[in-house]
Amino acid sequence: MNSKTNPDNFFEDFRLGQEIRHATPRTVTVGDVALYNALFGGRFAVQSSDAFAQATGYPRAPIDDLLVFHIVFGKTVPDISLNAVANLGYADCRFLKAVYPGDTLNAVSEVIGLRENSNRKSGIVYVRSRGFNQRGEAVLDYARWVMVRKRDESAPSPGDTVPDLPKAVDASLLGAACPPIKADAYDLTLSGSQHRFGDYQVGEKIDHVDGMTVEEAEHMIATRLYQNTAKVHFNQFAQSKDRFGKRLIYGGHVISLARALSFNGLGNAFHVAAINGGRHVAPLFAGLTVFAWSEVLAKADIPGRSDVGALRLRTVATKDRPCPDFPYKSGDDYEPEVILDLDYWVLMVK
Amino acid sequence: MNSKTNPDNFFEDFRLGQEIRHATPRTVTVGDVALYNALFGGRFAVQSSDAFAQATGYPRAPIDDLLVFHIVFGKTVPDISLNAVANLGYADCRFLKAVYPGDTLNAVSEVIGLRENSNRKSGIVYVRSRGFNQRGEAVLDYARWVMVRKRDESAPSPGDTVPDLPKAVDASLLGAACPPIKADAYDLTLSGSQHRFGDYQVGEKIDHVDGMTVEEAEHMIATRLYQNTAKVHFNQFAQSKDRFGKRLIYGGHVISLARALSFNGLGNAFHVAAINGGRHVAPLFAGLTVFAWSEVLAKADIPGRSDVGALRLRTVATKDRPCPDFPYKSGDDYEPEVILDLDYWVLMVK
Amino acid sequence: MNSKTNPDNFFEDFRLGQEIRHATPRTVTVGDVALYNALFGGRFAVQSSDAFAQATGYPRAPIDDLLVFHIVFGKTVPDISLNAVANLGYADCRFLKAVYPGDTLNAVSEVIGLRENSNRKSGIVYVRSRGFNQRGEAVLDYARWVMVRKRDESAPSPGDTVPDLPKAVDASLLGAACPPIKADAYDLTLSGSQHRFGDYQVGEKIDHVDGMTVEEAEHMIATRLYQNTAKVHFNQFAQSKDRFGKRLIYGGHVISLARALSFNGLGNAFHVAAINGGRHVAPLFAGLTVFAWSEVLAKADIPGRSDVGALRLRTVATKDRPCPDFPYKSGDDYEPEVILDLDYWVLMVK
């Protein structure tokens, strides 16, 4: 017991409506961009090229949406999920403002739900977390819920509220982080895909073909880049005594890999506008190879915008299983190789 | 078969004279420089220090020549060599303009030769690729040829032309990417070597002494940094079924390692001005240690320049074999540990 | 024997009072910062956030003190310690001026002591090394001593002088690299710790709780980032024949890991002002997990400053041993898992 170290919040320490300002503010730079590119191999032209971004309407290449997500998420870990048994889900995640090199991000969370589990050993904490830039402008807003242990099983539950969260972000709320795109200056040869918004059909499935093997050094470098301190990713000495015997790879690493792989088939899906929901179906470990496929769940126009449209995608990632047959569920259960089931909105030029 | 993913050009898909503009434009930053330094350990002072570069005549430290090469090369992979059986060679590669942090690179290739192999299962595609900056200025120009599979063995050959490529770049064509160097401000103590152009002799051999072991994470991080998507470098699941059972390391990784090792003996060879030819003699795998040695093949003055001279070098890299005895060929065959035979021009202060 | 490669100084090559200007000058950038963060996971707010740094009195986020140390140290390796048998110690290390992205560092060493070992096979070389920025301002000053082999056992000893080095840097000499801190703008929520200078007691011990496993790729990437060329870190082919059979991890890697881990318990110790002494008690190898704990050895006011105070800390790092029981020595000997014993001053807001 040391009073100077992180106090490690347990389930009974949370209060409904509690606001938590998180440490540590973080300036995002072209150094972070280079490292993120090198870890995932992203090729979306808007994020890759200042010249392309400027031609299409951005002041310069914006920071990858998921890098913003991971940094904001990382800030919440010491306060919210250091004692998490499991990261249960995300919902209602919207990207609200583009982030550029030099911007400084910080994060604030509000406890929006608390429900004790029937075994009274743990409970579910629902938080809404928001990322802000150095001008106090919100850049990201999302809900997530985690199962958190109780310190003392006999402690009373701090609440019994489950928030009402949307199944999907409404299309009318998309696009805040995307400036008006000059569609005629958006060069489909440079972007690497000839397929515009109109070329995708609801129900269409796309195998992203390529596979990417993950090394221990890679996922740890990535996760530290986000200042995410969750212990299970870094400490082989402790993990060797755990049920898997291995370091667990941060679930966000799989999201970023799947997003990078999805370039092959979705090359003009240049912006993740919202995440409707996400489930880390099974853990990933170093040495395994990640594949992905996507299905177009819906298409939507964004009110008042003719430059871009929104595709609602389900992207499924697998481990050590190529996806030409679009592996997903077998009955109610996921196929054993499925590790991620992500439901999100991307923007694409019309 | 999915029409949205990369179409994967096969031999019969190429046409003589065809021009291919490649995706994805890429802004190069100090973040890329840091990562490149950290992966290879380069110590050439011009690239390492803005202050040194400015004192010697550059506006600031230029991007390492080989990093420029790898990025431009990477852009060509999805269109040219995704179905390559083998990367056969390079020739006539010239660095035409210095690249600085903030510049955006893109690439265009022209098909300059096509010859079907006698087995009709594949053919050799010769391309001339050029890298451009955001102002449309050529920064790099090189030819390479790759063996590419046919989709359909019965398809007619798309051509039967072998281009005439020079054995070496003429010295009069060197130096376009190197500003006038203030040789008296070029500090030989800071640069780490007391040896100028005049101190090297044709025929001189230099063992670069040090060895560098390569890890899987390192070569994958490097190759993704270049947005090079060649599948064999990243996908252990697929490679485990291949004849080697392992991921192949991008040949350019060996070139960069050999260049970095060559600092020990060639510390003032601050600029790679041209690559006359290169052969990846054998594959490299993670866990092996790379060594290198060089021979001075020729020396040349550059017309109109008294600041710098050009050394034509052969740099040979080996795996798990130190090079005090300059391992190269035994009869017509390379020694089994040789992995790279590179013929190139460097500039050095007079 | 090749006259072009690094001459590899041996013990008898050094002279008392000799001044050695080291290669290679190095511009430090936000790219280096990103990579350093990603390798160690630092969370000190001043170094992480331009906005936080500016609010507290810095013009922008300074480069991490230890990154400055490693870069300056790295420059000295080719001249001082390439033939080192062992890196014996550091003393009297002071950080003199903050370093910012864009600054270029170079290093100069003076030989301040020489003493031959009784076996006449080696000797101890004491150097004082200084790091300078591009304006010639000293940013770092430290003494270290290394055991260096003799080329020729029969060569006479080049000297017999042991310098008088302080056991600890005097508190009156601390703080040169720290601008006046606006303590009321130093946000303890954003910084991640509520504990100020006044909250720490001499004799207090803090277990930093978390563990970090090190991979080969990570320590090699870090050590190359510093352009540190010590062979034992990189060359598995040679090391496999050595007594450990493995690459040795640069001792400075352990210092940086311990410093990053120490955030959990010392979150407001935002600046390393001086290193009084350091001992690498045992080697670290890839695959092992590093833990750390600290003891407050002393507290001091800095003359003329009411914004910050100085804590003298002993930070001990271990391998594969958590530190709730503060493992250190058993009698005169270190516990077998202890790898680092570091005595240093940090500054903390009052």
Side-chain angles (χ1 to χ4, degrees):
Chain A
M1 298 289 291
N2 191 296
S3 65
K4 294 294 192 319
T5 49
N6 192 296
D8 284 16
N9 290 321
F10 288 84
F11 180 63
E12 63 266 41
D13 298 325
F14 291 95
R15 293 290 171 267
L16 196 67
Q18 179 185 3
E19 186 181 87
I20 303 170
R21 291 174 64 226
H22 304 291
T24 302
R26 170 81 156 78
T27 301
V28 190
T29 71
V30 292
D32 301 307
V33 171
L35 201 38
Y36 190 80
N37 285 343
L39 288 164
F40 299 105
R43 287 184 287 149
F44 293 98
V46 163
Q47 284 76 23
S48 176
S49 164
D50 282 338
F52 190 94
Q54 286 161 359
T56 52
Y58 285 87
R60 65 184 291 192
I63 301 292
D64 191 284
D65 305 300
L66 294 176
L67 176 53
V68 172
F69 178 84
H70 296 320
I71 289 175
V72 171
F73 183 98
K75 314 233 143 302
T76 71
V77 167
D79 299 313
I80 305 297
S81 50
L82 214 56
N83 289 303
V85 182
N87 207 355
L88 297 172
Y90 313 101
D92 200 20
C93 170
R94 291 187 297 142
F95 292 87
L96 298 172
K97 198 165 182 73
V99 176
Y100 297 100
D103 283 352
T104 298
L105 300 179
N106 67 305
V108 177
S109 294
E110 183 187 355
V111 179
I112 59 171
L114 290 165
R115 168 162 276 179
E116 193 174 51
N117 288 319
S118 56
N119 64 12
R120 303 206 56 192
K121 293 183 177 175
S122 58
I124 300 175
V125 179
Y126 297 79
V127 293
R128 179 165 290 281
S129 298
R130 291 186 179 90
F132 297 92
N133 65 19
Q134 71 278 12
R135 292 179 297 276
E137 299 162 333
V139 300
L140 176 66
D141 187 323
Y142 69 97
R144 78 164 165 140
W145 51 106
V146 291
M147 193 184 302
V148 178
R149 270 187 288 271
K150 290 176 76 177
R151 182 188 293 107
D152 173 5
E153 290 184 27
S154 67
S157 173
D160 188 29
T161 302
V162 174
D164 196 28
L165 293 167
K167 288 272 190 206
V169 174
D170 192 84
S172 67
L173 298 174
L174 302 176
C178 178
I181 298 297
K182 299 168 192 164
D184 54 344
Y186 186 103
D187 183 322
L188 297 181
T189 299
L190 288 181
S191 75
S193 168
Q194 295 299 319
H195 306 289
R196 293 173 178 273
F197 179 71
D199 297 324
Y200 289 83
Q201 311 302 325
V202 174
E204 182 174 357
K205 293 181 179 179
I206 301 165
D207 172 19
H208 300 306
V209 180
D210 306 306
M212 187 65 73
T213 306
V214 181
E215 299 294 320
E216 298 280 15
E218 292 171 347
H219 77 82
M220 293 200 299
I221 286 172
T223 309
R224 280 186 303 245
L225 184 71
Y226 320 137
Q227 299 175 313
N228 179 328
T229 59
K231 299 162 193 274
V232 294
H233 310 314
F234 301 113
N235 184 335
Q236 182 56 36
F237 181 80
Q239 292 304 111
S240 67
K241 298 165 175 58
D242 186 75
R243 62 182 167 138
F244 295 116
K246 299 173 184 177
R247 280 162 276 179
L248 295 175
I249 293 176
Y250 166 47
H253 201 79
V254 178
I255 297 178
S256 285
L257 282 170
R259 167 74 175 154
L261 291 170
S262 80
F263 179 85
N264 194 359
L266 290 162
N268 290 322
F270 66 90
H271 173 47
V272 175
I275 299 174
N276 300 310
R279 184 164 170 199
H280 297 296
V281 175
L284 177 68
F285 304 106
L288 300 175
T289 302
V290 174
F291 298 84
W293 65 272
S294 296
E295 177 177 356
V296 180
L297 298 179
K299 295 182 67 174
D301 291 326
I302 300 174
R305 294 189 72 154
S306 58
D307 54 341
V308 293
L311 293 185
R312 184 176 171 187
L313 300 172
R314 168 183 291 125
T315 292
V316 173
T318 62
K319 55 185 174 189
D320 278 7
R321 178 167 170 181
C323 298
D325 60 344
F326 312 115
Y328 189 46
K329 289 182 177 175
S330 165
D332 286 346
D333 298 326
Y334 285 97
E335 297 278 356
E337 299 93 346
V338 171
I339 56 177
L340 173 72
D341 183 1
L342 190 71
D343 175 344
Y344 61 114
W345 286 106
V346 294
L347 300 195
M348 202 176 264
V349 280
K350 283 192 167 177
Chain B
M1 298 290 289
N2 190 297
S3 65
K4 293 295 191 319
T5 49
N6 192 296
D8 285 16
N9 289 321
F10 289 83
F11 180 62
E12 63 266 41
D13 298 326
F14 291 96
R15 294 290 171 266
L16 197 66
Q18 179 184 3
E19 186 181 85
I20 303 170
R21 290 174 64 226
H22 304 292
T24 303
R26 171 81 156 77
T27 301
V28 190
T29 72
V30 292
D32 301 306
V33 171
L35 203 38
Y36 190 80
N37 285 343
L39 289 164
F40 299 105
R43 288 184 287 149
F44 293 98
V46 164
Q47 285 77 20
S48 176
S49 165
D50 282 339
F52 190 94
Q54 286 161 359
T56 52
Y58 286 86
R60 66 184 292 192
I63 301 292
D64 191 284
D65 304 300
L66 295 176
L67 176 53
V68 172
F69 179 83
H70 296 320
I71 289 175
V72 171
F73 183 98
K75 312 231 144 304
T76 71
V77 167
D79 299 313
I80 305 295
S81 51
L82 214 56
N83 290 304
V85 182
N87 207 355
L88 298 172
Y90 313 101
D92 199 21
C93 171
R94 292 186 297 140
F95 292 87
L96 299 172
K97 197 164 183 74
V99 176
Y100 297 100
D103 283 353
T104 297
L105 300 179
N106 68 305
V108 177
S109 295
E110 183 187 355
V111 179
I112 58 172
L114 290 165
R115 168 161 276 180
E116 193 174 51
N117 288 321
S118 55
N119 64 12
R120 304 206 54 193
K121 293 183 179 177
S122 58
I124 300 175
V125 180
Y126 297 78
V127 292
R128 178 165 290 282
S129 298
R130 290 185 180 91
F132 297 93
N133 66 19
Q134 71 278 12
R135 291 180 297 276
E137 298 162 334
V139 299
L140 176 66
D141 187 325
Y142 69 97
R144 79 163 165 140
W145 50 106
V146 291
M147 193 185 302
V148 178
R149 270 188 290 272
K150 291 176 75 176
R151 183 187 292 106
D152 173 6
E153 290 185 26
S154 67
S157 173
D160 188 29
T161 301
V162 174
D164 195 28
L165 293 167
K167 287 270 189 207
V169 173
D170 192 85
S172 67
L173 299 174
L174 302 176
C178 178
I181 298 297
K182 300 168 192 165
D184 55 344
Y186 186 102
D187 183 321
L188 297 182
T189 300
L190 288 181
S191 74
S193 167
Q194 295 299 319
H195 306 290
R196 293 172 178 275
F197 179 71
D199 297 325
Y200 289 83
Q201 311 301 327
V202 174
E204 181 175 359
K205 293 181 179 179
I206 302 164
D207 172 19
H208 300 307
V209 179
D210 305 306
M212 188 65 73
T213 306
V214 182
E215 299 294 320
E216 297 281 13
E218 292 172 347
H219 77 82
M220 293 201 298
I221 286 173
T223 309
R224 281 186 301 246
L225 184 71
Y226 320 137
Q227 298 176 312
N228 179 328
T229 59
K231 298 162 193 273
V232 293
H233 309 315
F234 301 113
N235 185 336
Q236 182 56 37
F237 181 81
Q239 292 304 112
S240 67
K241 298 166 175 59
D242 186 76
R243 62 182 168 139
F244 295 116
K246 299 172 184 178
R247 281 162 276 179
L248 295 176
I249 293 177
Y250 165 50
H253 201 80
V254 178
I255 297 178
S256 285
L257 281 170
R259 167 75 176 153
L261 291 169
S262 80
F263 178 85
N264 195 0
L266 291 162
N268 290 321
F270 66 89
H271 172 47
V272 175
I275 299 174
N276 299 310
R279 184 163 170 201
H280 297 296
V281 174
L284 177 68
F285 304 106
L288 301 176
T289 302
V290 175
F291 298 85
W293 65 274
S294 296
E295 178 177 357
V296 180
L297 299 178
K299 296 181 67 174
D301 292 325
I302 300 175
R305 294 189 74 154
S306 58
D307 54 341
V308 293
L311 293 185
R312 184 176 170 188
L313 300 173
R314 169 182 290 124
T315 293
V316 174
T318 63
K319 55 185 173 189
D320 278 7
R321 178 167 170 180
C323 298
D325 59 342
F326 312 116
Y328 189 46
K329 288 183 178 175
S330 166
D332 286 346
D333 298 325
Y334 285 96
E335 298 277 355
E337 299 93 345
V338 171
I339 56 178
L340 174 72
D341 183 1
L342 190 70
D343 175 344
Y344 60 114
W345 285 107
V346 294
L347 300 195
M348 204 177 262
V349 280
K350 284 191 167 176
Chain C
M1 297 289 291
N2 190 296
S3 66
K4 293 294 192 321
T5 48
N6 192 297
D8 284 17
N9 290 320
F10 288 84
F11 180 62
E12 63 266 40
D13 299 325
F14 292 95
R15 293 290 170 268
L16 197 67
Q18 179 184 2
E19 186 181 87
I20 303 170
R21 290 175 64 226
H22 305 291
T24 303
R26 171 80 156 78
T27 301
V28 189
T29 71
V30 293
D32 301 307
V33 171
L35 202 38
Y36 190 80
N37 286 342
L39 289 164
F40 299 106
R43 288 184 286 149
F44 293 98
V46 164
Q47 286 75 24
S48 177
S49 165
D50 282 339
F52 190 95
Q54 285 161 0
T56 52
Y58 286 87
R60 66 184 292 192
I63 301 292
D64 191 284
D65 304 300
L66 294 177
L67 176 52
V68 172
F69 179 84
H70 296 320
I71 289 175
V72 171
F73 183 98
K75 314 232 142 303
T76 71
V77 167
D79 300 312
I80 306 296
S81 50
L82 214 57
N83 289 303
V85 182
N87 207 356
L88 297 173
Y90 313 101
D92 200 21
C93 170
R94 290 186 298 140
F95 292 87
L96 299 173
K97 198 165 183 74
V99 176
Y100 297 100
D103 283 353
T104 297
L105 300 180
N106 67 306
V108 177
S109 295
E110 183 187 356
V111 179
I112 58 171
L114 291 165
R115 167 161 278 180
E116 194 175 50
N117 287 320
S118 55
N119 64 11
R120 303 207 55 194
K121 293 184 177 176
S122 58
I124 300 176
V125 179
Y126 297 78
V127 292
R128 178 165 291 282
S129 299
R130 290 186 180 88
F132 297 93
N133 66 20
Q134 70 280 11
R135 291 180 297 277
E137 299 162 333
V139 300
L140 177 67
D141 187 324
Y142 70 97
R144 78 163 164 139
W145 51 107
V146 290
M147 191 185 303
V148 178
R149 270 187 290 270
K150 291 175 74 177
R151 183 187 292 106
D152 172 7
E153 291 184 27
S154 67
S157 173
D160 188 28
T161 302
V162 175
D164 195 28
L165 292 168
K167 287 272 190 207
V169 174
D170 192 85
S172 67
L173 299 173
L174 302 176
C178 178
I181 298 297
K182 298 168 191 163
D184 55 344
Y186 186 102
D187 183 322
L188 297 181
T189 300
L190 288 182
S191 74
S193 167
Q194 294 300 317
H195 306 290
R196 293 171 178 274
F197 179 70
D199 297 324
Y200 289 83
Q201 311 301 325
V202 174
E204 182 174 358
K205 293 181 178 178
I206 301 164
D207 171 20
H208 301 307
V209 179
D210 305 305
M212 187 65 72
T213 306
V214 182
E215 299 294 320
E216 297 281 15
E218 292 172 346
H219 77 82
M220 293 201 299
I221 286 172
T223 309
R224 281 186 301 245
L225 184 71
Y226 320 138
Q227 298 175 313
N228 180 328
T229 59
K231 299 162 193 274
V232 293
H233 310 315
F234 301 114
N235 183 336
Q236 182 56 37
F237 181 80
Q239 292 304 111
S240 67
K241 299 166 175 59
D242 186 76
R243 60 182 169 140
F244 295 115
K246 297 173 184 176
R247 281 161 276 179
L248 295 176
I249 293 176
Y250 165 49
H253 201 80
V254 178
I255 297 178
S256 285
L257 281 170
R259 167 74 176 156
L261 291 169
S262 80
F263 179 86
N264 194 0
L266 290 162
N268 291 322
F270 65 89
H271 172 46
V272 175
I275 299 174
N276 299 311
R279 183 162 171 201
H280 296 295
V281 175
L284 178 68
F285 303 106
L288 301 176
T289 301
V290 174
F291 297 85
W293 65 273
S294 296
E295 178 177 357
V296 180
L297 299 178
K299 296 183 66 174
D301 291 325
I302 300 174
R305 295 190 72 153
S306 58
D307 54 341
V308 293
L311 293 184
R312 183 175 171 188
L313 300 173
R314 167 182 292 125
T315 292
V316 174
T318 63
K319 55 186 174 189
D320 276 7
R321 178 167 169 180
C323 298
D325 60 342
F326 312 115
Y328 189 47
K329 289 183 177 175
S330 164
D332 286 346
D333 298 326
Y334 285 96
E335 296 277 356
E337 300 93 345
V338 171
I339 56 177
L340 173 72
D341 183 0
L342 189 71
D343 176 344
Y344 61 114
W345 286 106
V346 294
L347 300 194
M348 203 176 265
V349 280
K350 284 191 167 177

